[in-house]
Amino acid sequence: MTKIVGYTRHLVGDVDVADDIDALRRAGATVVFTEVTVSQTSEMAGLDEFIRTLAAGDSVIVTSAARIVHTVNQFLGFRSDLVSRGVTFLSLSEPALSSGQMVDPDDLFAALDGLRRRLIGLRTRHGMVVAAADGRRAGRPSVITEERLAIARELRNQNRSFAQISRALGVSTSAIQRALAEPRSSATRTNRLGGADQTPPR
């Protein structure tokens, strides 16, 4: 007996997937498999369990292909595997990615590009969440080290321009301006002798 099966997983920022499950059931899914993890790795135990339940003639429904894969290549392989096994794939929000119907190539390419951009956004947000949980600052590390900052302050106190300082240190003028505009930490407010920092205001 053929069946219509839904699949969903938690994405970054999801409180829960209740709305997703409701949408899949309204679309005809009699069973909905849910992946709890929001990991951006290829390891999804729930997906493996889900795939084992499928047989020729079944239909798979997702609200978005982003709920079932991490990369576009992974999606193409997943969809191709389903089709080879006689299983129909349906994406509610991306009908051009569904199987079993004629699709304009331009619509297909646009849908794949939209999926690629959404997956990149999900990976970026996941990285920011992980960085925040580890107490790290998201983004590229600062080019302004403590040594460069100390030299920049000394040169600035000598009335050197931001452009001159940036050339001397080999970093951008905007990076120098941002670094010098940031308030000093309590550790830099005292000199090595324990007295107050006597650096005159800029």
Side-chain angles (χ1 to χ4, degrees), residues 18 38-39 62 74 95 102 112 146 169-170 180 190:
V38 295
S39 171
V62 295
Q74 187 182 12
M102 295 295 293
L112 288 173
E146 287 297 325
L169 297 181
L180 292 178
T190 58

Side-chain angles (χ1 to χ4, degrees), residues 49-192:
E49 177 187 355
F50 167 71
I51 291 174
R52 286 196 295 270
T53 70
L54 303 175
D58 290 344
S59 295
V60 173
I61 302 180
V62 295
T63 56
S64 169
R67 294 274 177 183
I68 205 166
V69 295
H70 297 300
T71 68
V72 170
N73 284 340
Q74 187 182 12
F75 167 73
L76 293 174
F78 176 79
R79 183 180 182 277
S80 177
D81 180 58
L82 292 183
V83 171
S84 68
R85 295 168 57 185
V87 177
T88 302
F89 174 79
L90 173 64
S91 171
L92 299 181
S93 62
E94 304 136 337
L97 299 182
S98 301
S99 62
Q101 58 183 335
M102 295 295 293
V103 178
D104 185 284
D106 289 339
D107 292 339
L108 175 59
F109 291 142
L112 288 173
D113 186 57
L115 174 61
R116 178 186 61 80
R117 286 185 277 107
R118 185 175 185 195
L119 291 172
I120 290 174
L122 287 171
R123 289 196 295 272
T124 300
R125 290 199 295 274
H126 183 264
M128 293 174 67
V129 169
V130 171
D134 291 343
R136 293 181 284 112
R137 192 173 181 177
R140 287 182 286 184
S142 173
V143 297
I144 304 296
T145 62
E146 287 297 325
E147 292 78 8
R148 281 177 169 171
L149 182 57
I151 294 172
R153 284 176 175 152
E154 182 177 348
L155 292 174
R156 190 61 177 156
N157 287 334
Q158 295 174 9
N159 295 320
R160 301 291 185 179
S161 69
F162 290 119
Q164 289 174 322
I165 298 172
S166 69
R167 286 195 297 271
L169 297 181
V171 299
S172 69
T173 301
S174 59
I176 293 294
Q177 290 174 320
R178 285 195 301 270
L180 292 178
E182 293 178 355
R184 300 187 183 190
S185 68
S186 57
T188 60
R189 292 179 192 274
T190 58
N191 60 29
R192 287 180 296 178

